Each structure stands twice: as C-alpha cells, then as structure tokens.
C-alpha cells in the first residue's frame, strides 16, 4: 500500500499532520475500516478514553487519515453513532402502513434490533457514552433529534408529535437499559414477544391516539 | 474508636487497619457523614474512580471507619444507593389508595423526585454508574429487585406483577434518561404536568389493567 516510488517498505511514519496515504493507495475500504474501528474503540473504551490514534491503529491507517475523513474526535463519534443507528434509521414500513398497529410494529422492530447482539452492542455503547459524557450526549441528542425523532414525528397525525415520539423512545430506551444493561429479572429473560405484547399499546397511544 | 488510655489528641494515623476513632470520639454523625460523602464521591467520580480513601477524607474520618461501618467499596455503594433511593422507597400512599389512579400517582410522585435537583443528582449518579460498571449494576439490580420493585409488585392485582412493575420502572427510567441526562427537546423542557398526563395511562395499564 506504499505509494509508488517512495521506496518505503515499513509502516508509514505517524503524525505527519496530513494523510500519509491517499484514497487510491489505502483502498476504498479505508473509510469503512476507520468507522468499524471507531465503533469498537468507543464501545470498548467509552468516549473519554477513546482516541483518534487508537482508532487509526485498529484500522491500520495513519491518524491523519482519520482526521481527513471525519475531522475531530467528536465528529468521528458522530459518524460512528450514525452507523450504529443505521438499523434504527431504516424504520422499514413502520410509517408507510399508517397508524393502525404502529405501536406493535415499532415495539417488534426495536426489540429485534436490541435482541440481535451485533446491532445491540454498538447501540448500548453509544447510550452508555451519552449517559456519562456531555459531549457524547450532545452528539447523540443532535443526531437523534435531527434524524430519527424528527422523521418519526413528521409522519404522526397527533398533537405534539415530537414530544410523543420522544415518549415512545423513552419507553424503548428504558426497556433496553433495564433488560440488557442492568438486567433486572424477570424483564431480562422475558420472551421478546411478551414484551412486544405489553409495550405495543403504550407506543400505540403515544404515536397514534389523541 | 481509639481505646481508652491511648492519649491520642491529634488526627489518628491513617491505614491502621482498624477504626482509629470510637463512636464516642467521632460523634454519632460519622455514619451519616460517610454516607453523604459516599454519595458525593460516587456521583462526581463514578463507581470506578471512587475510593474508600476519598470518601473517608471527605467525611473527615479514617478509611478504616468506612470499612468498619460499611465493609467493601461495593457495600458502601449499596448503602449510598439505599440513601439515594430513600424518597423512591417511601412511596407514600401510592399503594394504599388502590388501583384507581395509581398510574397518575406514580407518574407525579416520580417526576417530583426527578424535578427536585437535590433528589435527582444522586439518582442520576447511581444510574450512570450502573450503566457503565457491572458491579454497580449488580448492586442496583439487587437493591431495586429486593426493595422497590418487589414491594410494588406485591401489591398489584394483575398477572406477572413483577414484569409489569419493571415495565413501569422502565418507562420512568427512560424519561429520566432522555429528559435530564441526554436532554432531548421538547421533552427536556416540557411541563412536568404534561408529562404526567401523557405517562399516567401507560403506568395505569402496566400496574392495574389486565
């Protein structure tokens, strides 16, 4: 991956102040590798202890390339959040089927995301960081407001749609915290479908009932 | 706790392995001072970084006295949680008035605790610690299970009372997280009574409707 003609055979020198490798030389996968490394770094070390250098090392790139693609640590965190929330942002067919049964569709969809360890881990990491670090909270808040809640709220035919979307989110976040993080019983080992059955009317009322 | 006749008049030497001052010399308020210091220490530094020595220093006692009263760091944390949750444990008249309006009484009571900065701060600190540290989660889980949820569940005349009590708790915890920690708008600045109005039917259904 060294640039032609440099004659360098070892790793590129670090801290050069700008990307040591171009898109052409690092390959088109560098951005994705950095994002994946960022998710892991933030998940494992938390916002405070995560570093651009650690992310770069894990991705096998120069730290300057991380800055080049994503900017500051805060912006890298924002990008990592965006990737983590991707499943939650697709919201497939949740809104296009109208108000009928929207509570059950929301409950089942989000429980599905939480039940899958691959999608659960980064989400929990993001929420943990936001709980304990103001910058992370600010990034999550900006992101959640801008993308997910606004999108849901825009399609609701109820008064105060944004407040209602947030109350629905608070129910789902609270379940995630108690079921997967604090792990209270019997909630922690309850059948997901039992939870859907109990929670669907709550979400239905927030999202669709005046 | 110095034995009679030691003649010690200055500060007791530290790390003596057992309490340097007796109940009589440190005064009956020592236990309360330690608890207050523990709450502050855990709130400000988190479970990981909090230390028995730091708590002892803030309380003006020997670290051995902290061990003497409360045992391990985990047990000090448990005692601090207990104090922090005291308002939530009183549950005055919430259960004695029967199922009618129980959702609204719960919602208003817990919002009141969260709205008061003096009772909010230690609760948020406990939840933050539990989100990020397994030992803290274990202590919160043991405590919440043993005291609050079991007590509420025991008085509910519905199937699966414990699961329902936990779902009600998850709604309240989720609101606390999004309103006071992540601070999403408009939830963060909504009138508490508006939140009570929206959330009461949710709690009513979990706690009282089959």
């Amino acid at each position: 991956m060294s640039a032609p003609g440099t004659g360098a055979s070892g790793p590129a020198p670090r801290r050069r102040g700008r990307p040591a490798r171009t898109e052409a030389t690092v390959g088109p996968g560098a951005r994705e590798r950095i994002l994946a490394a960022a998710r892991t770094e933030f998940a494992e070390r938390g916002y405070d202890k995560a570093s651009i250098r650690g992310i770069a090392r894990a991705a096998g790139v120069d730290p300057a390339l991380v800055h080049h693609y994503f900017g500051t640590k805060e912006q890298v965190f924002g990008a990592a959040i965006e990737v983590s929330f991707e499943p939650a942002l697709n919201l497939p067919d949740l809104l296009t089927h109208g108000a009928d049964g929207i509570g059950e569709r929301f409950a089942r969809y989000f429980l599905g995301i939480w039940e899958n360890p691959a999608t659960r881990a980064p989400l929990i990491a993001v929420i943990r960081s936001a709980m304990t670090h103001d910058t992370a909270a600010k990034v999550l808040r900006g992101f959640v407001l801008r993308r997910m809640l606004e999108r849901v709220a825009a399609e609701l035919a109820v008064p105060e749609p944004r407040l209602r979307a947030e109350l629905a989110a608070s129910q789902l976040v609270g379940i995630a915290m108690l079921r997967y993080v604090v792990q209270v019983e019997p909630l922690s080992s309850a059948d997901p479908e039992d939870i859907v059955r109990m929670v669907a009317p709550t979400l239905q009322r927030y999202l669709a009932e005046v």
Side-chain angles (χ1 to χ4, degrees), chain A residues 107-174:
Chain A
R108 183 167 289 115
Y109 183 68
F110 280 97
L111 259 289
I113 291 175
W114 290 110
E115 284 299 299
N116 178 350
T119 43
R120 172 169 75 226
L123 282 174
I124 286 183
V126 164
I127 291 173
R128 277 182 161 157
S129 289
M131 292 297 142
T132 50
H133 197 285
D134 285 343
T135 305
K138 199 185 86 185
V139 174
L140 178 64
R141 185 167 66 230
F143 177 77
V144 167
L145 274 180
R146 196 175 78 254
R147 300 280 298 272
M148 202 160 62
L149 291 172
E150 276 184 2
R151 191 184 146 195
V152 172
E155 308 210 20
L156 301 181
V158 288
E160 304 176 281
R162 191 119 134 212
L163 178 62
R164 285 160 169 268
E166 288 171 6
L167 287 168
S170 74
Q171 172 63 94
L172 293 166
V173 166

Side-chain angles (χ1 to χ4, degrees), chain A residues 8-56:
Chain A
S9 58
R14 295 183 180 253
R15 313 194 94 148
R16 289 184 51 195
R18 59 197 182 90
R21 297 166 181 193
T22 64
E23 180 85 35
T25 57
V26 293
R31 195 178 184 282
E32 285 63 41
R33 286 208 312 281
I34 294 170
L35 267 183
R39 282 175 60 172
T40 306
E41 175 92 353
F42 285 117
E44 289 179 356
R45 300 175 59 79
Y47 184 86
D48 264 338
K49 290 178 188 161
S51 72
I52 296 276
R53 286 189 67 78
I55 291 166

